[in-house]
Amino acid sequence: MPSIRIAAKPASHRTLFKWVRLAIVAAVVCGASVVRAEEYRLGVMDKLRVRVAEWQTAEGAVRDWSAVSGEYTVGASGNLSLPFVGDLPASGRTTVELAEDIGDKIQKLFGLRDRPSASVEMAQYRPVYLYGEVQNPGEYPYAPNMTVLKAISLGGGLRRADNGQRFARDYINAAGDSAVQIAERNRLLIRRARLLAEIGKQDEIALPEQLKNFPGVDKLLSSETALMQSRDKRQQRQLAALGDLKSLLQSEIESLAKKSQTQQHQLELVTQDRDNVDSLADKGLALAQRKLSLEQRVADVQSSLLDIDTASLKAKQEMSKAAQDETNLRDDWDAQLAQELQNTEAELDALTLKLGTSRDLMTEALTQSAEAEHLSAQAANITYTIIREKDGKPTEIAANETTQVLPGDVVKVNALVAMQ
């Protein structure tokens, strides 16, 4: 016996009696059910209910293999995967064949004396599919004894004509979309005109030719004009602030230059006085204290000149930065206008395509609505086809309303229109 232990429990006498009774009932109905079980072949997406039990001769009891029992789905590979047992081929086989295979596998895997009894029941069949002239085509659950007519009823029956009402709805919807798109187009045209005026440094917006004599255009033009004026005022305020800063810095530079000239003149005087004292000191006619005082005065004037030069250099740097900020402001403004114009052109192109589509839909809806009366006089011949997979290949089968449908079938409904 392998080291893996399956959760199993011996049954009481009442449970044993229940299993024996189930076995007798199964034997009685076997003749009636085995034909149907053998007729149906499993396939991908079938859900199965597996139950496994083992009769232990030595103990005279039934052991329930609950770890293996449960509901499972046939996978895309066509296999059924069970705990401890592994993958078993299921697609194309009957439930009886699969049950026998499960019992044999468990007996061999665990080295059991008696082969466990496995039962495989259908928990849920794989779905059927409706396609074509059905009110609600798609995937639907399969039920036993399903016919083509029953399958179509799940999809709401055959597709119903509305005698032109659908075309009227299409026209109303397309007309509504067209009205919204025209309003959006007008707004984009006015915006483009405003951007062109801003780029061209113009004071007024030129009304586009497409909008002349168009109702409501004055309101759009007034709104865009107010926006242009507001944006222009904001830019002018920013430029004026930079201009004031440049003027202030220029005045500071000029003031520092005059101060530098004054200090330079003082330096010349102090230097000359110091040289005279040095000459007298050499002759012994000047005091050392006076010579030291003049040396200190020369140093102070030179330090003041250095501070003035530093302040002047800093003011010139700030002046250069202000000029660069002014240039950047103008360049950024021009780039922003160009980008907005490009985006507006792209939106206009996309909206023009949508507007053309809406108008085409309106024209088509009018044409179809005019022909609705002629269509109502025509009769549609409905034909049914079942597409069923056989030997791994789809096969088309001619059908009628009473034809049996199997799990996984595709029911195709065709309408052949013919004049009466």
Side-chain angles (χ1 to χ4, degrees), residues 177-189:
D177 293 341
S178 178
V180 173
Q181 291 160 0
I182 289 175
E184 180 66 15
R185 183 203 62 179
N186 295 345
R187 188 178 65 84
L188 290 174
L189 287 173

Side-chain angles (χ1 to χ4, degrees), residues 7 47 51 57 62 68 78 81 96 102 119 124 132 164 183 189 224 230 241 249 268 275 298 315 328 370 404 410 413:
K47 292 185 178 180
R51 296 176 181 174
T57 304
V62 175
V68 180
S81 181
V96 174
I102 292 173
S119 66
Q124 181 179 332
L189 287 173
E224 290 294 330
S230 175
L249 291 172
E268 292 175 357
D275 293 341
V298 170
N328 292 339
Q404 291 289 326
V410 177
V413 182

Side-chain angles (χ1 to χ4, degrees), residues 82 84-89 98-111 115-116:
L82 299 179
F84 307 108
V85 179
D87 291 341
L88 297 175
L98 185 58
E100 292 176 354
D101 196 7
I102 292 173
D104 292 338
K105 290 288 185 181
I106 293 178
Q107 182 181 18
K108 294 178 181 178
L109 180 63
F110 295 101
R115 188 185 77 170

